[in-house]
Amino acid sequence: MSKAKGVTEMPLERVRNIGIAAHVDAGKTTLTERVLFYTGASHKVGEVHEGTAHMDWMDEEQRHGITITAAVTACPWKDHMLQVIDTPGHVDFTIEVERSMRVLDGAVIVMDGVRGVEPQTETVWRQANKHAVPRFIFVNKMDRPGADFQRTLDMVKSRFGDEPVPVCVPVPSKQTVLHVIEQQAYTFRGEKGEIVETRPFSEEEAAEVATYRETLLLALAEHNEELADLVLGEEEVPEALIWSVLRALTISGKVRPAFSGSALRNWGVQPMLDAVIKLHPTPLDRPPAIAKKPDGTPVEVKMDPDLPLVALAFKVQLFEGRRHVFCRIYQGRLEGGEEIALGGRNIKERVARVFEVDASRKTRIEQGLAGQIVLLAGVRWATTGDTICDPAHEVLLERIDARAPVLGLAVEPESSADEEKMLEVIEKMTEEDPTLRFEEDAETGQRILKGMGELHLQIQFERMEREFGLKLRAGRPRVVHRETVRQSASAEGGVDRVLETGTQRIELRATCVVTVKPRERGTGVDVQARPRWNPPEYQPTPEQLDAVYQGAKDALGGGPIEGSPIEDVAVTVDEIVSPGSGSNPQSLRIAAASAVREALSKAGGVVLQPIMKVEVVVPDENTGGVLGDLQSRGSTILGHSSDAGITSILAECGLSSLLGYTTELRSQTRGRGAFVMEFDRFDAI
């Protein structure tokens, strides 16, 4: 069976859609490369540090040595087909993880055996929780000094409150893993660890595994009476029963199986692959997706190729400069040349071709079926989060959330002749990446490109030059601000004028009273628009009420100090005064916006800037200097810990104080320090 036909023809019971995710530099792309090699999907092992990783196919990924875009591939393993997504670990590209988790059936979370749970590990874990993705852990880099399998499991339990259960325990000195369930030792030989041998435990190994096996069985016994009776009776538990119970608990999220090894040193990967088949859900095992009909009625989406098409567009990707769309098919089938509808957008278009994807290479197929991840060509309007459906059975799936950007740069083309080209290229790239925004500053007229951080924007500039031959000049980084209010305030606003356009005469008359109040940080904006109506006997129409709501929202686009968007404010529209015949929607929208602006001004503004969660890792001898430098930047130190000569410092700091910090940290630590940051909230400094 050829790989191009594999996923299409494989029964869903033998398909696994999995993602590999981790903190940056935990080794997930290295692990993915071994998966491709051992499954036969790739004939050589690519290395990240050599710029030859198959899944890091973009020039920028090979140059920087990090994963930037989620890459999709398919590989066969023991009469099953794995569709694998390798996701980025750097926080600037976390949207790639978010939209991948949205469409996956399972995930492997890779952790550094020395570092354990790191900041981006926590982010990835939360994203998996949000979408209820079953997962297990691969503790990597167990060949390194200071690596500790049990400590990593303890961190998972304390940080996440989850129950990690050991399945493959490492013996680094022998490049061996001890299988707790099968009670066999796995060793790996050959140039790339491709020869796997199993043998019974030695006495010493059996004693070491006994504790781990007891931990596993006791964890499973809490959820299964049959297994509990055998454990309490000190009877031998059949291997098949352990796998069966462990699979059910993994899919339900009650336990997290843990495996170990060293992907770079080529040991421990194959038992993990076997477990993907045994423990991860098939597309049929996942709960049905819930969609909504145009009238709001919920409807189950069933993994059935013979029902009307329902799919989710989860990523726009430029291949060779042409627009393509990745989608996960949840129901029905999708053929090249077929007409589709975009749910809730009143748009219909035609799919030119359907492809299976292997990183940057695509293979045309006749159709995609329920359970598959496919690539579509010729789709002009579908964007991230759109529902692709049968025009005769339109439904709407839940969209994909995208974080707002926190850093902006003023940009202009090097040549004035490239002005139009710049707008066209940036439009393509903002379609591809929902966390990249482009707008014009109303006061200065500058064009601002906003992203998730300095690296994020740097990569976009490099891609524009490489893919489109467009060079941009950029100004100094400008941190994106928000505004909130200092206190509660009420205000009245209104409109009273007549517009005459030719023969048409429009009366704009309405008065609105609103109250604004500050909310807790990170709670967002809440608008309540159910006002008293004056005269009280008047019954407003839905269109009038919506106009009041939209007017209040309009005014939140800019605060009273800098004109930055409003954050963490509650707006209540208290009263509407309108003529006896009722004000038209245009009048009400203007009046509500006017009243909210006046109330914001009276309440007093507060500028908020992005607050980042920071982890700085430095040698112990540099700890004091680095702590002092962080405090001089206005950081709040949350804690620090030392292990194996390395100190990890956790802190919160305003983004504006961290611009250029990488260079300063390297200087202080002679290149040995590193740091990562993740957006936490907007707050006053």
Side-chain angles (χ1 to χ4, degrees), residues 379-610:
V379 180
R380 296 178 58 198
W381 307 111
T383 61
T384 298
D386 276 345
T387 303
I388 295 172
C389 51
D390 184 331
H393 299 84
E394 192 170 330
V395 295
L396 191 64
L397 291 165
E398 182 184 352
R399 294 192 66 84
I400 297 173
D401 294 333
R403 294 186 182 182
V406 296
L407 191 68
L409 292 174
V411 295
E412 61 181 26
E414 283 196 351
S415 169
S416 58
D418 285 338
E419 183 82 19
E420 192 171 320
K421 182 179 182 180
M422 180 186 78
L423 298 177
E424 180 183 331
V425 169
I426 291 180
E427 182 181 4
K428 287 182 178 180
M429 300 193 74
T430 52
E431 278 189 13
E432 185 180 275
D433 185 347
T435 60
L436 191 67
R437 309 279 172 84
F438 183 63
E439 58 192 47
E440 187 170 312
D441 189 302
E443 293 183 1
T444 65
Q446 289 180 317
R447 289 176 167 135
I448 309 296
L449 189 65
K450 296 180 179 179
M452 299 304 295
E454 292 176 279
L455 179 62
H456 185 207
L457 293 171
Q458 178 188 344
I459 295 296
Q460 305 308 320
F461 291 143
E462 291 179 11
R463 287 190 58 201
M464 289 181 206
E465 184 172 350
R466 176 179 61 84
E467 294 182 29
F468 302 99
L470 175 67
K471 290 187 177 182
L472 296 182
R473 283 196 294 261
R476 291 176 60 83
R478 189 171 92 175
V479 174
V480 175
H481 287 167
R482 295 286 188 270
E483 292 185 39
T484 190
V485 294
R486 194 177 302 278
Q487 59 190 8
S488 300
S490 296
E492 180 181 292
V495 60
D496 186 1
R497 65 178 185 265
V498 177
L499 296 180
E500 294 189 5
T501 56
T503 59
Q504 196 172 17
R505 187 173 187 273
I506 303 173
E507 293 187 2
L508 300 176
R509 289 191 176 90
T511 302
C512 181
V513 179
V514 304
T515 299
V516 298
K517 296 178 181 179
R519 303 183 77 199
E520 288 187 16
R521 293 291 178 263
T523 54
V525 170
D526 178 54
V527 178
Q528 299 292 329
R530 292 287 173 182
R532 301 185 304 275
W533 217 269
N534 194 353
E537 64 272 9
Y538 183 76
Q539 295 297 315
T541 66
E543 290 78 12
Q544 289 174 314
L545 289 172
D546 183 62
V548 173
Y549 176 82
Q550 293 301 331
K553 293 278 285 185
D554 291 344
L556 299 176
I561 300 178
E562 297 182 344
S564 299
I566 294 295
E567 190 89 1
D568 302 335
V569 169
V571 178
T572 305
V573 182
D574 300 312
E575 185 178 8
I576 295 291
V577 180
S578 63
S581 58
S583 301
N584 58 39
Q586 187 179 359
S587 304
L588 295 168
R589 187 163 184 164
I590 295 171
S594 172
V596 172
R597 290 191 191 99
E598 181 64 26
L600 291 173
S601 181
K602 288 177 66 176
V606 179
V607 176
L608 308 176
Q609 73 156 308

Side-chain angles (χ1 to χ4, degrees), residues 584-635:
N584 58 39
Q586 187 179 359
S587 304
L588 295 168
R589 187 163 184 164
I590 295 171
S594 172
V596 172
R597 290 191 191 99
E598 181 64 26
L600 291 173
S601 181
K602 288 177 66 176
V606 179
V607 176
L608 308 176
Q609 73 156 308
I611 303 299
M612 314 301 287
K613 279 188 176 177
V614 181
E615 181 179 29
V616 186
V617 180
V618 296
D620 283 348
E621 61 264 29
N622 300 121
T623 302
V626 171
L627 280 170
D629 181 56
L630 283 171
Q631 288 171 330
S632 73
R633 295 170 184 266
S635 301

Side-chain angles (χ1 to χ4, degrees), residues 196-417:
V196 182
E197 296 177 342
T198 60
R199 58 171 173 77
F201 290 154
S202 66
E203 287 187 15
E204 182 182 334
E205 290 169 341
E208 182 177 354
V209 165
T211 302
Y212 285 107
R213 185 173 172 88
E214 183 179 11
T215 299
L216 170 70
L217 293 177
L218 289 175
L220 303 188
E222 288 185 17
H223 305 281
N224 184 275
E225 289 188 15
E226 180 184 356
L227 195 148
D229 290 341
L230 293 173
V231 171
L232 292 173
E234 298 186 354
E235 299 178 46
E236 185 61 30
V237 183
E239 183 181 318
L241 178 61
I242 298 175
W243 281 117
S244 173
V245 175
L246 183 57
R247 183 174 193 273
L249 296 178
T250 302
I251 292 174
S252 66
K254 293 176 181 174
V255 300
R256 311 295 186 192
F259 300 79
S260 61
S262 171
L264 184 63
R265 304 300 175 199
N266 308 305
W267 57 277
V269 177
Q270 292 94 328
M272 183 273 294
L273 273 175
D274 290 340
V276 167
I277 292 171
K278 291 179 178 178
L279 300 179
H280 270 315
T282 73
L284 297 170
D285 292 324
R286 297 284 281 151
I290 303 298
K292 290 183 179 179
K293 293 181 179 180
D295 63 3
T297 305
V299 58
E300 273 194 0
V301 178
K302 300 177 181 177
M303 200 66 65
D304 187 336
D306 297 322
L307 292 175
L309 171 69
V310 180
L312 182 73
F314 68 92
K315 179 176 177 176
V316 176
Q317 180 92 42
L318 297 177
F319 281 105
E320 300 164 352
R322 295 187 178 88
R323 190 181 197 273
H324 293 72
V325 175
F326 280 98
C327 77
R328 166 73 190 268
I329 304 176
Y330 287 96
Q331 181 176 283
R333 60 187 72 217
L334 181 55
E335 300 179 359
E338 183 177 343
E339 185 181 56
I340 59 169
L342 303 183
R345 293 186 59 191
N346 196 29
I347 295 176
K348 295 179 183 177
E349 53 182 330
R350 197 168 295 278
V351 176
R353 292 182 176 87
V354 181
F355 300 96
E356 283 184 351
V357 183
D358 173 21
S360 63
R361 294 191 288 270
K362 54 187 192 289
T363 304
R364 187 174 176 180
I365 56 177
E366 291 184 7
Q367 63 177 356
L369 302 174
Q372 285 183 242
I373 294 171
V374 295
L375 183 70
L376 310 180
V379 180
R380 296 178 58 198
W381 307 111
T383 61
T384 298
D386 276 345
T387 303
I388 295 172
C389 51
D390 184 331
H393 299 84
E394 192 170 330
V395 295
L396 191 64
L397 291 165
E398 182 184 352
R399 294 192 66 84
I400 297 173
D401 294 333
R403 294 186 182 182
V406 296
L407 191 68
L409 292 174
V411 295
E412 61 181 26
E414 283 196 351
S415 169
S416 58

